[in-house]
Amino acid sequence: MSVWPMHADAIGIAAPAGTVFDFMASPAQLHRWSFGTWETTVREDGLVEGRSIFDGSVTWVRIEASRPHLLVDYHLGSSPEALKPRICARVVPAPHVGGGEGESVLTLLAWRDPAMADARWDRLTRSHEFELFLIKSLIETGGPP
């Protein structure tokens, strides 16, 4: 078994786990925080078409959410037929890891596609780090619509 390139980062959020989970599982919220799918169209079947804030490239997303596990899988691809589970969000009630009541920890985890260039991978990992701060702000303050 070989080691597979991945990136993970986490942030504390002053909101209950259910609130954070609902935000992360919502296709309608994706355009507010994901730089890879900044401009989105949500189809009736829940599939999302988004455009990268960086280069305008199109990414398709299918969100699979498990409320009992507070886990959100984002299946990504260049077309609806090419979707692969590459990013996930895990929400943990903060008291489970030593934090306060009514708070949560949000972790974003991404696996690198073997065809992804080093520069694109670097951009993705740095984006996730900033996106966590954006998500925190949007949830804690309600942020702009």
Side-chain angles (χ1 to χ4, degrees):
M1 179 177 194
S2 62
V3 176
W4 200 260
M6 56 80 62
H7 176 263
D9 207 351
I11 197 165
I13 300 177
T19 300
V20 176
F21 171 83
D22 290 343
F23 183 88
M24 297 306 294
S26 172
Q29 297 295 336
L30 195 59
H31 77 281
R32 297 179 73 197
W33 63 267
S34 171
F35 296 150
T37 52
W38 200 250
E39 296 176 351
T40 60
T41 302
V42 181
R43 297 188 338 184
E44 286 184 26
D45 62 2
L47 196 61
V48 179
E49 177 186 15
R51 298 203 175 273
S52 168
I53 193 172
F54 297 106
D55 61 14
S57 62
V58 173
T59 298
W60 288 87
V61 183
R62 183 179 71 243
I63 298 173
E64 281 186 6
S66 171
R67 178 170 275 289
H69 299 106
L70 298 173
L71 182 65
V72 182
D73 287 323
Y74 302 94
H75 297 249
L76 307 172
S78 58
S79 71
E81 299 77 34
L83 301 178
K84 297 177 186 175
R86 288 213 5 261
I87 296 173
C88 71
R90 175 67 189 243
V91 183
V92 177
H96 294 201
V97 291
E101 285 296 324
E103 298 176 347
S104 306
V105 177
L106 172 62
T107 302
L108 285 179
L109 184 118
W111 290 273
R112 183 175 180 171
D113 185 299
M116 189 178 285
D118 289 345
R120 184 167 171 231
W121 177 246
D122 185 48
R123 183 178 73 196
L124 182 143
T125 60
R126 291 172 190 259
S127 294
H128 277 192
E129 292 168 359
F130 185 80
E131 286 169 347
L132 284 168
F133 285 99
L134 182 55
I135 293 163
K136 174 183 175 69
S137 177
L138 289 168
I139 292 172
E140 290 180 354
T141 69

